[in-house]
Amino acid sequence: MKLMNPDYRGRTVPDLFTCSDGTPVTSKEVWEKKRRPEILEMFRNQEYGCLPDMSDAKTMIRLADSRCDGTFMGGQAIRRTVEIETERKGIHFSFTFVLFIPASAKKASPCFLMIGNRGIANADPARHFMSSFWPAEMIVSRGYATAVVLTQDLAPDYDEGFTTRFHKLFPEYTGEQRPGNAWGAISAWSWGCSRIMDYLETDPLIDARHVCVVGHSRGGKTALWTLAQDQRFFMAASSCAGNSGDALARGSTGETIAQITGRFPYWFCKNYRQYAHNENSMPFDQHMLLALAAPRLLYTTSRTFDNWANQKGQFDSAVLASEVYERIYGLTGLESKTMPKPETPLHKGMIGYHMKTGEHNLDEYNWNLILDFADMHGMQG
Ligand code: GCU
């Protein structure tokens, strides 16, 4: 029985193709019915945390506003504002998101859902503030709809004891009684993305079979977790996600689990802290998160100066995940197993990757390549 995959580029990482009871993964059926679900449960129970039972909660979706009046995007887009409200035991929580749809589209539009972790100035519904972090005009001009949700509207990005926004629906989960596997902020943000998908599936102007979730850094970790959990998403694009995102935790040359759980404990469940200074005891690693994307499209990016995100660990993890595309689905994951030079994208396989010269960021250069990759792999339908 081979639970570990020794000497992979100097690391020993858990083997994707051996179930925890030793069953070898030799077919698509064993992967999809046994190994994939058990990997998902490991990430739920030991890293990002499980959402609470919501069978006693009711969620309502309301199209609050829809217009195309020339005051934004020169009349090129319809802007919709959607409100999603959840009620549980008399407690209400609601958030809104905006959606721009190409006004001249002849058919339902594929969509990029942006996880906005940099506030309203980088996600302005009125389009007074332009930002290459979310270049909505460019995305629309290339024939895609694009939605944005602010992480802070879903769950706060600081430690407030799980008492506000999404968290406040579950007062019994606060303080000492909070179980070790209870959700962190990343899982709450990801829940929001899935509720947005619920809306997109009802909008006749949207092609909900072709939706990509996009995020940078903490937003990139969330995009990857969303693609893993919600198979309605066609693709995820994660920029500089790094530790606890697309980079292998083992042998990290950048951020470690001790550092991330020290500064951002509320992103994860409490159980994850046991792996601080103890990565080698994890029964999983981040290549397994990327493998949960298969056989769908996945795109990851690095920056040359972003050592904190551990570029080599990001790339190696995508190389390992490629094996699921290849061995289980007969598809190419990454087109090359050799890390490419900066500004040399790898686009031919189902996993796309590029490295850009520069600091930790997401900008129009990245977006153009993400859209090229999506066009090339049929996201326009
Ligand atoms: C911090 C954190 C990273 C994270 C980044 C970001 O640097 O340590 O893990 O990716 O913030 O979200 O920008």
Side-chain angles (χ1 to χ4, degrees), residues 72-376:
F72 53 85
M73 291 199 191
Q76 298 300 304
I78 300 163
R79 186 191 63 205
R80 293 187 163 169
T81 303
V82 180
E83 186 175 27
I84 300 189
E85 178 175 8
T86 301
E87 185 269 334
R88 180 181 179 258
K89 297 188 175 167
I91 304 173
H92 292 255
F93 159 64
S94 70
F95 70 95
T96 56
F97 70 93
V98 292
L99 168 66
F100 289 97
I101 307 167
S104 57
K106 303 269 180 301
K107 57 181 180 64
S109 302
C111 182
F112 283 89
L113 164 58
M114 173 68 180
I115 300 167
N117 62 311
R118 286 194 180 163
I120 198 78
N122 286 282
D124 181 14
R127 308 313 296 153
H128 299 310
F129 301 102
M130 299 292 176
S131 155
S132 72
F133 190 65
W134 180 56
E137 284 71 11
M138 183 274 272
I139 302 169
V140 166
S141 75
R142 288 190 57 170
Y144 290 98
T146 184
V148 67
V149 63
L150 295 184
T151 46
Q152 68 200 33
D153 288 348
L154 292 166
D157 199 352
Y158 65 97
D159 196 349
E160 40 63 81
F162 295 97
T163 59
T164 62
R165 301 282 169 186
F166 172 81
H167 309 317
K168 77 176 173 192
L169 291 166
F170 308 95
E172 68 272 34
Y173 279 81
T174 50
E176 283 307 303
Q177 43 189 351
R178 192 171 179 78
N181 68 351
W183 74 99
I186 291 175
S187 279
W189 298 333
S190 178
W191 173 85
C193 294
S194 287
R195 301 294 69 76
I196 292 171
M197 177 57 108
D198 294 344
Y199 168 77
L200 295 174
E201 286 190 311
T202 68
D203 190 325
L205 298 188
I206 298 296
D207 173 6
R209 289 168 305 114
H210 293 108
V211 178
C212 172
V213 58
V214 186
H216 167 68
S217 213
R218 65 201 71 187
K221 305 181 211 294
T222 308
L224 295 169
W225 184 221
T226 302
L227 189 72
Q229 295 192 95
D230 191 335
Q231 301 207 50
R232 294 174 297 174
F233 285 91
F234 182 72
M235 168 175 165
S238 93
S239 151
C240 303
N243 187 276
S244 310
D246 60 345
L248 290 171
R250 286 171 170 77
S252 177
T253 50
E255 187 173 22
T256 61
I257 294 181
Q259 286 164 322
I260 205 167
T261 57
R263 287 171 67 201
F264 306 101
Y266 59 92
W267 284 356
F268 309 100
C269 67
K270 282 194 275 191
N271 287 345
Y272 194 40
R273 298 178 204 167
Q274 68 185 292
Y275 300 116
H277 304 295
N278 195 19
E279 281 85 351
N280 286 332
S281 72
M282 289 163 76
F284 57 95
D285 207 324
Q286 298 304 128
H287 63 305
M288 293 176 154
L289 180 68
L290 302 191
L292 297 179
R296 294 163 298 159
L297 294 172
L298 174 65
Y299 200 92
T300 65
T301 73
S302 308
R303 289 286 176 118
T304 50
F305 304 138
D306 191 10
N307 298 341
W308 186 240
N310 176 20
Q311 302 95 333
K312 188 167 179 311
Q314 291 182 282
F315 188 76
D316 286 353
S317 156
V319 171
L320 282 164
S322 294
E323 289 180 28
V324 170
Y325 286 82
E326 286 154 21
R327 284 167 60 178
I328 304 294
Y329 296 103
L331 297 166
T332 304
L334 275 173
E335 75 178 81
S336 159
K337 312 283 183 272
T338 309
M339 200 161 178
K341 295 205 166 49
E343 284 77 58
T344 317
L346 301 179
H347 278 192
K348 292 200 188 106
M350 297 298 286
I351 303 183
Y353 174 85
H354 72 253
M355 161 87 89
K356 184 191 176 212
T357 306
E359 308 282 350
H360 183 71
N361 202 3
L362 167 67
D363 63 20
E364 205 152 328
Y365 174 90
N366 302 110
W367 272 102
N368 264 309
L369 288 176
I370 292 166
L371 267 59
D372 289 350
F373 176 79
D375 286 351
M376 178 172 165

